[in-house]
Amino acid sequence: MKKVVYLLVILFSSFGCSSDNNSNSNTVDSMYFPPNDGNATWETKSISDLGWNTNAVQPLLDYLQLKNSKSFIILVNGRIVMENYFNGHTANSVWYWASAGKTLTATVTGIAEQEGYLNINNKVSDYMGTGWTSIPLEKENLITCKHLLTMTSGLDDSLGDDVTPANLQYMADAGTRWAYHNAYVILQDVVSQATNQSWDNYFYTKLRDKLGMTGGLWASGTDGTRTYWSTTRNMARFGLMALNKGKWNGTTVINENYFNSEISTSQNLNQSYGYLWWLNGKSSYRLPQTQLQFNGSLIPSAPSDMYMGLGKNDQKIYVVPSKKMVVIRMGNPADSAVLALSDFDNVLWQKINALYQ
């Protein structure tokens, strides 16, 4: 009996001393966060260790290559399961997030609220002053920060990405119409005014740096609109924070209540939209540049609990809590230029599903 007890002690001790630094570790249920060391260190987990279908890997990679991808990452419990680069892109190459970066603005706005600088239910004019649009004052005063977060400002979405006052014109009362509109970037000015510091500085110190991210905001068009550029692993870091509902390695970056609002239906016009996040698995959805409503889930082949940052030309942040998974895709448009969603998403998820089904 003593020998049995002794053997059990040795056995459990050996489990307790196992290190996550071993990429073949059997610790698959614990959540891992990479150190803030510029991405030099990141634990991995192999397809075979997860019991996934290794025969499904090459068809997925072939599809990504065919569809003009530059990079692709799958994380499970924070560990890298797949990391692949195509067409001359490398782990050190930077690429733009496009509208997938709207999720950054939503999160930083929430951080400013939790620090007491603003309230998203307040009207935008409380922070920007009047005249930030060219619409009548009584209509402008209807627009709250939350309307910008939810794409329900009522501003005319047909006038392009320019957000100067002359280009922000009336289409409908705030809260009565959902339309994908670049006016969300006014939230960056709101945060800047409320915190009395530049958007860049507040974003970098309150979010980017806390996640160990690198990269920066650079102009992406002639209208002066800026977007975030980074390596693929940096996008994966943000996705990992999102998987953990605003926490990073035990530290709360954005409070969970606000983050849960980010990834929940935010209004009754587009069930598949939160606070600048797209939501899968809802009963209906609307898309950019149309007022049509479509029945069913955004990406039928993908998990129903998935929430997404979707950017022009198929920049993707997919977060799947039920599978503790983050999937990142960067690249050129898979087929033709698109604002957010394309048929590529549905086929891609069929290929991903084949890994573990």
Side-chain angles (χ1 to χ4, degrees):
M1 184 66 180
K2 289 182 179 180
K3 289 183 179 180
V4 172
V5 172
Y6 178 74
L7 288 172
L8 287 173
V9 169
I10 295 296
L11 179 62
F12 284 113
S13 296
S14 66
F15 280 126
C17 294
S18 64
S19 172
D20 276 344
N21 290 326
N22 182 353
S23 63
N24 293 318
S25 167
N26 288 322
T27 310
V28 295
D29 293 327
S30 62
M31 188 64 65
Y32 166 78
F33 296 86
N36 293 4
D37 64 355
N39 295 325
T41 305
W42 202 311
E43 285 186 19
T44 62
K45 198 74 182 176
S46 72
I47 294 283
S48 57
D49 283 343
L50 289 171
W52 287 7
N53 179 13
T54 56
N55 293 327
V57 172
Q58 196 57 52
L60 171 58
L61 295 178
D62 291 344
Y63 182 70
L64 289 163
Q65 177 81 44
L66 176 68
K67 292 299 184 177
N68 306 314
S69 301
K70 289 183 176 292
S71 59
F72 182 76
I73 285 179
I74 294 180
L75 306 180
V76 175
N77 282 307
R79 295 171 181 84
I80 294 174
V81 176
M82 290 184 67
E83 182 176 26
N84 303 92
Y85 298 94
F86 312 88
N87 301 311
H89 205 77
T90 71
N92 296 319
S93 302
V94 298
W95 195 246
Y96 60 88
W97 290 32
S99 287
K102 285 180 169 64
T103 54
L104 298 170
T105 297
T107 302
V108 174
T109 300
I111 292 171
E113 182 176 64
Q114 77 183 14
E115 292 191 335
Y117 289 112
L118 58 85
N119 185 322
I120 63 169
N121 294 306
N122 289 349
K123 61 181 183 289
V124 176
S125 297
D126 287 347
Y127 307 99
M128 297 294 294
T130 59
W132 64 275
T133 71
S134 62
I135 71 178
L137 181 59
E138 66 272 17
K139 300 299 185 183
E140 183 179 274
N141 281 334
L142 296 176
I143 304 174
T144 66
C145 297
K146 188 173 180 179
H147 288 130
L148 297 182
L149 283 168
T150 60
M151 296 290 179
T152 56
S153 67
L155 296 167
D156 189 344
D157 56 304
S158 68
L159 301 177
D161 290 340
D162 182 359
V163 293
T164 58
N167 208 53
L168 297 179
Q169 299 183 21
Y170 180 83
M171 176 66 73
D173 282 2
T176 66
R177 181 175 185 268
W178 188 91
Y180 199 74
H181 197 296
N182 203 45
Y184 86 94
V185 299
I186 298 296
L187 288 167
Q188 299 176 8
D189 296 324
V190 167
V191 170
S192 181
Q193 291 293 324
T195 62
N196 196 31
Q197 55 187 289
S198 71
W199 166 259
D200 292 27
N201 182 68
Y202 194 76
F203 161 52
Y204 291 161
T205 58
K206 298 297 182 177
L207 181 58
R208 184 194 69 170
D209 296 351
K210 288 188 175 183
L211 306 186
M213 293 168 61
T214 57
L217 291 158
W218 293 300
S220 59
T222 56
D223 61 3
T225 300
R226 296 188 305 157
T227 189
Y228 195 63
W229 292 67
S230 80
T231 66
T232 311
R233 282 193 175 191
N234 280 296
M235 185 182 265
R237 283 177 178 268
F238 179 69
L240 182 56
M241 184 277 295
L243 175 64
N244 287 275
K245 302 291 186 70
K247 292 183 174 59
W248 184 262
N249 200 18
T251 298
T252 297
V253 178
I254 174 68
N255 73 76
E256 188 169 338
N257 286 338
Y258 178 89
F259 191 84
N260 282 335
S261 295
E262 284 192 64
I263 57 170
S264 300
T265 300
S266 58
Q267 27 63 51
N268 59 10
L269 299 167
N270 187 350
Q271 294 294 309
S272 299
Y273 208 72
Y275 292 177
L276 305 179
W277 284 90
W278 291 92
L279 315 174
N280 206 42
K282 304 302 178 181
S283 60
S284 63
Y285 60 92
R286 296 187 181 191
L287 295 174
Q289 297 181 324
T290 177
Q291 287 297 298
L292 297 176
Q293 180 166 293
F294 303 91
N295 292 326
S297 180
L298 270 172
I299 307 176
S301 65
S304 61
D305 65 330
M306 185 170 75
Y307 42 97
M308 303 156 280
L310 302 177
K312 183 178 180 180
N313 298 334
D314 294 309
Q315 318 312 320
K316 313 290 184 182
I317 305 171
Y318 302 112
V319 183
V320 186
S322 61
K323 298 188 178 301
K324 299 181 180 179
M325 181 187 293
V326 174
V327 180
I328 305 295
R329 187 270 185 186
M330 286 180 155
N332 288 317
D335 295 298
S336 57
V338 292
L339 284 177
L341 191 74
S342 73
D343 290 340
F344 168 69
D345 296 77
N346 204 48
V347 177
L348 177 60
W349 270 97
Q350 292 171 6
K351 304 289 187 184
I352 295 171
N353 290 339
L355 291 171
Y356 53 79
Q357 290 182 346

